Amino acid sequence: MKLYKVAEQFAAWLVAVIVLSLLLVPIVMIVLTSLTPESFPTIPDGDVTLYWYSEMLSNTELMQALVTSFLVATCAAILSGIVGTVAAIGFVRSEISYREELATLMLLPLMISPVITGLAIIQFSSQADLPSGYPTLIIGHSILTLPYVFLIVRSRLVTFDDDLREASRVLGANGLETSLNITLPVISPTVISAMVISFVVSFGEFTATQFLIAPDATTVPVIIYTMLRAGLSPEISALSTLLIAIMVLGALISGAVTRST
């Protein structure tokens, strides 16, 4: 029996190692090829260099795309955080008919292909006479990230201790005061974590974004795709490594905030 448990644990560890290898090896290769001294992406066999990172930082177009991605992702995270939190509170606290069916509609941007979502947003922007560029990008990314905030905050509200709300009401606070002074402070770490996830999703969004960009507002994923059409380059690996670092940092922040709840 003991031998069986050891074999079971070994098999579990082996599967975990294989899965992690499949996930991490491509990422490690991107990082390594960004350090090559060659003019094409290859794993360095000796010397390593940060030359391609210097080239990336001196590329005005890439830096502008980074700024655009950062601004759009920040605005989208804030907007989706506000709207998603209010919507989650409303769906959990209200007694409206067909509540679950309406909540499912909030998840449509996750279920529909980003291509369709991008086309729908650009057609809406055209009909509403919204200027292209930042306004369209921010609205589009807010729509795409809203379901993440809604799902995460709603799941936290489902386990919320209603005795806290009842105590607040007994002490004379109205519904708005209870939400501002009790509900929001308790769920704020969850909201922050959801907004960080929204930022990461927005920063890496490509499929729908390619329909929403403008000459003066292009994001990093679109720039990478454009550069790839001209051929592989270690500069692309350097830029991809920077994106990986941003995504990992966002995941660490989200995990740290979640653990603090």
Side-chain angles (χ1 to χ4, degrees), residues 99-146:
R99 183 173 58 179
E100 293 302 320
E101 289 77 6
L102 292 174
T104 302
L105 292 178
M106 295 286 294
L107 309 181
L108 280 179
L110 287 179
M111 297 183 286
I112 297 177
S113 169
V115 174
I116 299 175
T117 303
L119 286 172
I121 294 171
I122 197 63
Q123 289 179 0
F124 169 79
S125 299
S126 176
Q127 293 295 325
D129 291 328
L130 291 176
S132 60
Y134 282 102
T136 304
L137 278 170
I138 291 172
I139 292 174
H141 281 221
S142 298
I143 292 173
L144 291 169
T145 57
L146 178 61

Side-chain angles (χ1 to χ4, degrees), residues 8-260:
E8 186 179 25
Q9 291 179 353
F10 175 78
W13 276 105
L14 181 62
V15 171
V17 169
I18 293 174
V19 172
L20 285 175
S21 298
L22 292 174
L23 293 174
L24 295 178
V25 167
I27 297 175
V28 172
M29 290 184 64
I30 289 177
V31 176
L32 291 178
T33 55
S34 70
L35 301 173
T36 181
E38 305 294 338
S39 59
F40 53 91
T42 181
I43 298 177
D45 56 0
D47 296 334
V48 295
T49 179
L50 298 178
Y51 170 79
W52 296 108
Y53 288 91
S54 175
E55 285 290 300
M56 176 189 68
L57 294 175
S58 62
N59 190 319
T60 305
E61 186 180 13
L62 289 183
M63 291 300 100
Q64 181 60 44
L66 277 172
V67 172
T68 299
S69 291
F70 182 82
L71 291 176
V72 170
T74 300
C75 293
I78 294 173
L79 284 177
S80 62
I82 295 173
V83 176
T85 300
V86 173
I89 293 175
F91 273 95
V92 172
R93 303 291 185 225
S94 66
E95 298 295 336
I96 59 176
S97 302
Y98 305 105
R99 183 173 58 179
E100 293 302 320
E101 289 77 6
L102 292 174
T104 302
L105 292 178
M106 295 286 294
L107 309 181
L108 280 179
L110 287 179
M111 297 183 286
I112 297 177
S113 169
V115 174
I116 299 175
T117 303
L119 286 172
I121 294 171
I122 197 63
Q123 289 179 0
F124 169 79
S125 299
S126 176
Q127 293 295 325
D129 291 328
L130 291 176
S132 60
Y134 282 102
T136 304
L137 278 170
I138 291 172
I139 292 174
H141 281 221
S142 298
I143 292 173
L144 291 169
T145 57
L146 178 61
Y148 295 94
V149 178
F150 178 76
L151 277 175
I152 295 172
V153 176
R154 189 186 184 206
S155 65
R156 176 65 182 89
L157 288 170
V158 169
T159 60
F160 190 87
D161 187 0
D162 286 332
D163 290 340
L164 297 175
R165 296 177 59 250
E166 292 300 325
S168 175
R169 301 297 290 270
V170 168
L171 292 173
N174 57 36
L176 179 60
E177 291 173 337
T178 299
S179 296
L180 293 177
N181 299 322
I182 302 298
T183 303
L184 286 180
V186 172
I187 68 172
S188 59
T190 303
V191 174
I192 294 173
S193 178
M195 291 174 64
V196 172
I197 292 175
S198 296
F199 177 89
V200 171
V201 171
S202 173
F203 206 96
E205 164 58 36
F206 165 72
T207 307
T209 304
Q210 60 185 324
F211 297 98
L212 310 176
I213 59 172
D216 58 340
T218 303
T219 61
V220 173
V222 177
I223 286 290
I224 291 177
Y225 175 74
T226 303
M227 294 173 65
L228 281 173
R229 296 176 66 181
L232 292 174
S233 167
E235 189 176 6
I236 298 177
S237 297
L239 183 57
S240 300
T241 301
L242 179 60
L243 287 181
I244 292 170
I246 293 173
M247 305 301 177
V248 171
L249 180 61
L252 292 176
I253 293 174
S254 177
V257 172
T258 302
R259 286 192 296 270
S260 67

